[in-house]
Amino acid sequence: MRLEIKEVNRTVTFSLDGEVLSADSALWSYDTPNKFSDAMWQDIHSLFNGEAGEIQFQGSEAAFNQFNRQLPSTLTNLDIKFIDSKTKQNLKYETELRKWFSQLLATDVLNEQQKENARARFKEAANNVFVVNVLARVSAGKSTLINALLGRELMPSNNIAETAKVTQIIDNDSTDGFTAVALDDNRNQMYRIAHLSPEKMDELNDDTNVASVQLTGDIPFAKSIDYALELVDTPGPDNVMNKDHHLQFDKLITRQNKNGFKPVVIYVIPADGIGTDSTDDLLNVITRESRADYQESAKNRFVFVISKMDTVKPVNVIETLDNAKRYLINRGIENPVVIPVAAELALNIRRSDIREEDEEYEELEFKVHKQNKHSEFHFDELAMTNGVAGSTPVYDDDMLMALQHSGIVTLEQQIRTYINDFAAPARLARLDALTNHILSEMADPTNLAATITAAQTKLNQTQQDFEDAKENLDDETKVLQGKRLADFKNVKEEIQQLIDDNKDQVSSLVLESFKYYNPRTNVQRSRKLTEINHKLIGVIIQSARDLEAALKKIGETHHFTLPDVDQITETTKDLLQQGLNQSSNITMVEDKALDDSNNQKTIEAITTYCGDFEDDFTALLKANLLRRLKQTKHNLAEQIQELTDTQRQQQGVVDSLIQERDLLVEQLKRLNAVNELLHSKPMLKECVEA
């Protein structure tokens, strides 16, 4: 048989072999750890009826200690196991959440600046500094209590030099001694003291220019806490050095720390000051805040230390504590955590500077004996801790036993248990809230699916609009291309006509020259040939000029960049020079009477020269015009980019749609990444307290 006891948020359920016990079960009435009692164990004993079995307790260590404290020694047949599931689940969740956060930073959903900001926010949310505020009126024994927690005399503890500054004491286990930093009203460092002594602390306390003090050193009992502890010692609101200190009490009690959860508040009330008017205004704030903390566990963060209890007569100890509890309940504080403490005794036991040969040690031994002898002074057993503190250890050493009975160890256990049990879940809740907030900054999680659908629909429409606009642009380009090809054909035909016209002019000139070729002597023949060459030169030069003008006109008409006409003119002149040279050779025939045979040879030579010139001239034009025009055709695609107004407008539409499409693609990519992160984010376990 296996009895399973599950405690979540101070609520207890019982199951037997996996089946939850019904409301009519005897164990049903034990619904909170506070109700664990001998009667419960009698019901458990009846349930097993003397048979061997197993009890699995799943919950907080504090609740298990409360449960286990009443275990009868006769129940040897039961195997009791403690399962600290909350701690395990919390650690597992935090590990998973940190991995998920790393995955978030590895995506492109955040830019570098946003990633840096997210890292800083996550680091702050994961901050493990836990604050314990110690509050009290003047002369309540607060500084002596803090010194006892520190195990050394450091804070001013006499009535004249009580704490006049807000003093932060930050735990650092690696330091030897304490370091102090004096701060002004703006939290700027004024000066630093490396090795702090009580005398130096008094000087800081008396310095009217110092607004607050920050101490760093080892707080011994904080070693077993999964947090960096920070004790805050605050001057009493009735401190004569600063009339504004009473305003800080309200802030220290009510405000949340940068960690995101509220600190433990230790309120010190002297045994001889219970119920006095001086505590009423502070208790009003605590009562209001205690009621605002709806969770039962949160109420345990208010700890009422009844100081100087070792000055009360033994016969009056119980009455004093009852009066304190009654007073707090009457002030509206339900189930107050009340811990009686003999702080001065605890401090002297822990002080390393008291030696056995000192007179002070003899007095200490007397007080230790008194503390151990009178059961009324066993303050650890009289403490009202709502089951949070652990079981009482047994010491053989008188000093350690008196330290335990002084109540200071119970107070430290109260702080440790609260932090480990409730601050860690609060940190997880803070991290969970932060990561959810980062997601919500990227997209509204409640409408994410609808947003993705809308973005996809808009992207599809934009893509369709882009394809339609691109098709229209292509159609416009095709029209322009057809027009330009037609223009190219016309240009080619006009240039071909120019070539033919120039060839015809040369041929006409050559034919005309033969009408005048009837020389009777070589001299006459030479003169006539010279005239023909000169006339031919003039015609060719003028033809080249006309060709240049015609080509430019064609280019301007059809918006084409035609070949370099000047180069054609120069090449034509070179060709004519070659012709002159050839004709000169012909005119150098010996001067002799011309017979028919010789005359016929001369005519053939001239005819051959003129025919060669026509062919060369035609080849020149074709080589320099049509070939280059062919190159122009190859570059026609570039010329087509000279957009018409319609095409230019359509191109603007296409460019705009491309930009819009790219933005939508990035948006959709980001939304899908956020959606994936949202569904992959580990969920906060049910057992984690917010």
Side-chain angles (χ1 to χ4, degrees):
M1 184 182 299
R2 183 179 71 252
L3 177 65
E4 300 167 359
I5 305 174
K6 186 175 182 180
E7 178 260 342
V8 178
N9 296 337
R10 310 293 294 171
T11 299
V12 180
T13 57
F14 294 85
S15 300
L16 189 62
D17 292 332
E19 296 292 331
V20 179
L21 295 180
S22 60
D24 57 358
S25 170
L27 292 175
W28 180 263
S29 61
Y30 307 106
D31 57 349
T32 66
N34 290 337
K35 294 183 180 180
F36 292 161
S37 63
D38 292 338
M40 178 198 68
W41 280 108
Q42 291 176 6
D43 290 334
I44 292 176
H45 183 271
S46 299
L47 180 67
F48 283 91
N49 197 23
E51 296 181 5
E54 178 183 305
I55 296 179
Q56 287 187 357
F57 189 99
Q58 179 177 331
S60 67
E61 184 176 2
F64 175 71
N65 289 337
Q66 181 72 13
F67 168 80
N68 199 39
R69 186 175 292 129
Q70 305 294 336
L71 173 64
S73 59
T74 56
L75 292 182
T76 57
N77 59 311
L78 299 181
D79 181 17
I80 301 177
K81 295 181 179 179
F82 171 59
I83 303 175
D84 189 4
S85 57
K86 180 184 293 187
T87 301
K88 292 180 180 178
Q89 291 183 18
N90 290 350
L91 291 175
K92 181 180 179 182
Y93 174 76
E94 184 169 350
T95 300
E96 292 175 351
L97 190 61
R98 288 180 180 275
K99 288 181 180 179
W100 177 88
F101 185 71
S102 298
Q103 293 173 358
L104 166 65
L105 297 180
T107 66
D108 296 329
V109 296
L110 299 175
N111 59 39
E112 290 304 319
Q113 182 60 41
Q114 290 172 325
K115 288 180 180 179
E116 190 63 30
N117 181 260
R119 288 190 189 96
R121 292 161 66 189
F122 192 90
K123 181 179 180 181
E124 182 177 352
N127 189 295
N128 68 341
V129 175
F130 189 89
V131 177
V132 176
N133 291 324
V134 186
L135 312 178
R137 289 285 183 177
V138 171
S139 303
K142 170 175 58 66
S143 295
T144 302
L145 177 70
I146 294 177
N147 286 336
L149 294 173
L150 299 179
R152 65 177 68 201
E153 282 192 304
L154 195 61
M155 309 303 295
S157 58
N158 58 68
N159 293 340
I160 298 177
E162 269 215 22
T163 306
K165 319 288 182 188
V166 174
T167 305
Q168 295 172 275
I169 309 171
I170 302 172
D171 180 44
N172 186 341
D173 296 338
S174 62
T175 60
D176 183 16
F178 279 80
T179 298
V181 175
L183 305 174
D184 62 17
D185 289 328
N186 296 319
R187 302 286 297 173
N188 296 318
Q189 179 175 333
M190 299 173 59
Y191 55 88
R192 182 175 180 272
I193 301 176
H195 301 287
L196 187 64
S197 64
E199 293 75 22
K200 291 291 185 181
M201 190 64 202
D202 287 339
E203 293 177 11
L204 281 170
N205 199 45
D206 294 337
D207 190 340
T208 57
N209 295 318
V210 176
S212 60
V213 180
Q214 190 177 80
L215 307 183
T216 303
D218 181 24
I219 302 177
F221 80 93
K223 288 183 172 61
S224 59
I225 300 175
D226 185 27
Y227 272 77
L229 190 65
E230 179 180 317
L231 286 174
V232 179
D233 182 13
T234 306
D238 45 7
N239 187 285
V240 295
M241 294 187 66
N242 192 329
K243 295 301 182 183
D244 294 329
H245 278 317
H246 70 282
L247 300 176
Q248 299 180 11
F249 276 78
D250 188 88
K251 295 180 180 179
L252 290 171
I253 294 172
T254 61
R255 72 177 180 180
Q256 287 188 340
N257 295 324
K258 60 184 178 181
N259 312 54
F261 53 84
K262 297 178 181 179
V264 164
V265 174
I266 299 177
Y267 186 52
V268 184
I269 304 174
D272 57 356
I274 299 172
T276 61
D277 293 340
S278 62
T279 60
D280 283 359
D281 55 345
L282 296 180
L283 285 176
N284 287 338
V285 179
I286 294 176
T287 299
R288 186 180 69 243
E289 184 67 11
S290 176
R291 288 175 175 176
D293 286 332
Y294 62 91
Q295 294 179 349
E296 182 70 24
S297 61
K299 300 183 187 302
N300 288 323
R301 77 181 183 92
F302 295 100
V303 181
F304 299 93
V305 170
I306 311 302
S307 64
K308 306 179 182 180
M309 281 298 296
D310 51 344
T311 64
V312 178
K313 293 180 180 181
V315 295
N316 295 330
V317 167
I318 301 299
E319 180 183 1
T320 301
L321 293 178
D322 287 342
N323 289 339
K325 182 176 181 181
R326 188 181 307 110
Y327 171 70
L328 294 172
I329 293 175
N330 290 338
R331 298 299 303 167
I333 301 173
E334 301 177 0
N335 298 322
V337 177
V338 180
I339 302 177
V341 170
E344 186 175 7
L345 172 64
L347 169 63
N348 289 331
I349 292 174
R350 285 176 165 173
R351 282 172 55 188
S352 60
D353 59 335
I354 299 181
R355 304 180 182 279
E356 293 186 10
E357 58 270 18
D358 298 338
E359 293 182 5
E360 195 175 3
Y361 188 82
E362 184 177 347
E363 182 180 354
L364 175 60
E365 283 187 314
F366 173 76
K367 291 183 178 180
V368 165
H369 176 73
K370 177 182 176 182
Q371 192 76 27
N372 292 332
K373 177 181 178 181
H374 297 283
S375 60
E376 294 87 353
F377 284 170
H378 295 179
F379 300 139
D380 54 329
E381 300 172 6
L382 299 177
M384 308 167 200
T385 61
N386 287 337
V388 172
S391 57
T392 302
V394 177
Y395 293 109
D396 295 331
D397 184 275
D398 288 341
M399 288 286 182
L400 293 179
M401 185 181 299
L403 181 66
Q404 176 68 35
H405 291 327
S406 72
I408 196 70
V409 176
T410 304
L411 174 61
E412 293 170 343
Q413 179 65 34
Q414 178 80 18
I415 297 172
R416 278 197 302 264
T417 303
Y418 179 83
I419 294 176
N420 287 332
D421 282 359
F422 305 116
R427 177 173 63 183
L428 294 186
R430 190 170 64 249
L431 290 173
D432 187 73
L434 170 64
T435 50
N436 285 337
H437 184 66
I438 292 175
L439 283 174
S440 66
E441 288 178 335
M442 295 184 287
D444 182 4
T446 58
N447 297 320
L448 185 56
T451 304
I452 291 176
T453 301
Q456 184 63 61
T457 301
K458 188 174 182 180
L459 176 60
N460 294 340
Q461 184 60 50
T462 302
Q463 180 64 28
Q464 184 60 50
D465 293 343
F466 164 75
E467 292 174 358
D468 293 342
K470 186 68 169 61
E471 184 177 353
N472 293 336
L473 178 61
D474 291 342
D475 291 343
E476 184 67 23
T477 302
K478 289 178 182 178
V479 171
L480 178 62
Q481 185 178 22
K483 180 177 179 302
R484 298 297 279 161
L485 287 173
D487 288 343
F488 176 79
K489 182 179 180 182
N490 293 335
V491 170
K492 183 177 180 181
E493 291 175 352
E494 291 181 32
I495 290 178
Q496 184 64 54
Q497 186 62 47
L498 279 177
I499 295 172
D500 294 341
D501 291 346
N502 277 271
K503 180 180 178 181
D504 291 343
Q505 290 186 41
V506 174
S507 298
S508 297
L509 181 62
V510 173
L511 291 174
E512 183 182 3
S513 68
F514 279 104
K515 292 190 303 181
Y516 302 100
Y517 185 72
N518 188 18
R520 296 182 179 277
T521 65
N522 287 343
V523 175
Q524 293 175 329
R525 183 186 60 191
S526 176
R527 186 171 59 250
K528 179 59 68 174
L529 286 174
T530 301
E531 292 175 359
I532 293 173
N533 276 314
H534 286 169
K535 192 171 184 178
L536 186 60
I537 289 173
V539 170
I540 292 301
I541 292 175
Q542 185 60 46
S543 177
R545 291 172 180 171
D546 293 343
L547 177 64
E548 180 178 359
L551 287 173
K552 288 182 177 180
K553 185 176 181 180
I554 292 172
E556 293 172 357
T557 301
H558 297 285
H559 306 288
F560 268 92
T561 303
L562 293 175
D564 186 2
V565 179
D566 294 335
Q567 184 179 356
I568 297 174
T569 304
E570 293 299 323
T571 307
T572 304
K573 291 179 180 179
D574 292 341
L575 189 62
L576 288 175
Q577 186 61 46
Q578 295 176 16
L580 285 175
N581 293 337
Q582 293 180 18
S583 62
S584 297
N585 291 335
I586 295 174
T587 59
M588 296 302 294
V589 180
E590 293 181 3
D591 189 11
K592 59 183 179 179
L594 293 175
D595 53 20
D596 292 339
S597 175
N598 196 20
N599 187 48
Q600 184 64 35
K601 290 180 179 179
T602 302
I603 293 174
E604 290 177 357
I606 293 174
T607 302
T608 299
Y609 157 70
C610 290
D612 290 342
F613 183 81
E614 290 179 18
D615 293 340
D616 291 342
F617 181 73
T618 301
L620 169 70
L621 292 179
K622 288 184 177 181
N624 285 276
L625 289 178
L626 296 182
R627 178 176 57 81
R628 294 188 184 184
L629 189 61
K630 186 176 181 181
Q631 294 175 351
T632 301
K633 182 180 180 181
H634 290 171
N635 298 330
L636 189 59
E638 296 180 3
Q639 296 189 34
I640 290 176
Q641 295 305 317
E642 300 172 3
L643 305 179
T644 64
D645 290 341
T646 303
Q647 192 182 25
R648 191 178 298 108
Q649 181 180 4
Q650 195 63 41
Q651 183 66 52
V653 173
V654 170
D655 293 342
S656 177
L657 287 170
I658 289 175
Q659 185 177 8
E660 182 179 359
R661 181 189 63 184
D662 292 344
L663 290 175
L664 284 170
V665 167
E666 287 301 316
Q667 180 188 5
L668 191 59
K669 177 182 176 182
R670 187 171 182 270
L671 287 171
N672 284 325
V674 173
N675 188 49
E676 184 177 345
L677 286 167
L678 182 64
H679 287 87
S680 64
K681 181 179 178 293
M683 300 302 293
L684 193 62
K685 300 299 184 296
E686 188 178 278
C687 67
V688 178
E689 281 192 21

